[in-house]
Amino acid sequence: MKFSEVYIKYYCKLLRFAGEYVGDKQEAENLVQDAFLGLWKSKDELERINNMNAYMFRLVRNRCLDYLKHKANEQEYAKGVMQTVDYRLCALDSFNETGIFMGDLEKDVAEAIDALPPRCREIFVMSRYQGKKYREIAEAMGISENTVEIQMGIAIKRLKASLAQYIA
């Protein structure tokens, strides 16, 4: 079977399959395209595949599972960092008399947020100050949910570095 025949026969089926698996149309398209890219790189071995249907669905399934694991790890990391920051900021509240003035902290937090790249800052503000979910932000900005997650990770890392004197 030729690569083009495989692509025509399986693309739509695999897209629906991946969409159900990951729950995001754009990400499903990326995963299916990635699977076909991998297949293209080994196109000389297409004739050796006995059951193309099973092979293609397993290829996409594995990519979906890898994506979901990666997404879960990113969310856990971001959640842990934010919990640590929140915990330490609350602890600072109780030590206000020790020389740390909340006005300084608030000013430093505002400056750290202002120092973020514009798109990253906008996503952070929508998430943390406006309480929007990643999916809502992605739709509002016309970007993928994955891009929102990546930008939030960047924001959290930069804020953690900028505010290390308060949370270290």
Side-chain angles (χ1 to χ4, degrees):
M1 188 175 255
K2 292 181 181 179
F3 179 83
S4 59
E5 293 170 343
V6 173
Y7 187 87
I8 291 168
K9 183 174 181 178
Y10 291 101
Y11 180 79
C12 290
K13 294 176 189 177
L14 293 171
L15 186 59
R16 281 192 302 274
F17 176 73
E20 289 295 319
Y21 231 103
V22 298
D24 182 308
K25 183 181 177 186
Q26 283 183 316
E27 208 50 58
E29 288 175 3
N30 291 338
L31 293 167
V32 171
Q33 289 297 334
D34 187 49
F36 275 108
L37 179 62
L39 185 66
W40 175 257
K41 288 178 181 176
S42 62
K43 66 181 181 283
D44 297 335
E45 300 178 23
L46 281 177
E47 296 302 322
R48 293 188 213 176
I49 299 171
N50 294 330
N51 185 342
M52 186 59 71
N53 189 57
Y55 181 83
M56 291 305 300
F57 277 91
R58 180 165 297 256
L59 194 63
V60 170
R61 182 185 137 255
N62 289 343
R63 282 184 168 63
C64 290
L65 288 172
D66 289 344
Y67 165 77
L68 292 172
K69 287 175 190 173
H70 177 73
K71 185 175 176 180
N73 287 339
E74 278 184 343
Q75 288 175 345
E76 282 301 311
Y77 174 76
K79 181 180 171 185
V81 168
M82 286 310 293
Q83 285 176 344
T84 301
V85 169
D86 288 343
Y87 170 76
R88 290 180 178 167
L89 287 174
C90 287
L92 284 174
D93 244 351
S94 65
F95 293 107
N96 201 12
E97 289 100 32
T98 64
I100 299 173
F101 297 102
M102 291 311 289
D104 291 341
L105 175 60
E106 290 170 356
K107 183 179 113 250
D108 289 346
V109 168
E111 287 175 0
I113 292 171
D114 287 342
L116 293 172
R119 184 178 187 188
C120 188
R121 178 178 54 242
E122 183 179 0
I123 290 169
F124 181 82
V125 168
M126 290 174 84
S127 173
R128 297 297 183 216
Y129 289 104
Q130 297 173 4
K132 293 188 178 187
K133 296 182 180 183
Y134 287 2
R135 181 163 292 202
E136 294 171 324
I137 297 168
E139 289 172 4
M141 295 183 74
I143 57 177
S144 75
E145 195 172 334
N146 191 41
T147 300
V148 173
E149 290 174 28
I150 290 168
Q151 290 295 313
M152 282 299 294
I154 291 168
I156 290 167
K157 284 179 187 175
R158 288 188 178 191
L159 291 173
K160 185 176 178 182
S162 294
L163 301 170
Q165 67 190 40
Y166 295 108
I167 58 176

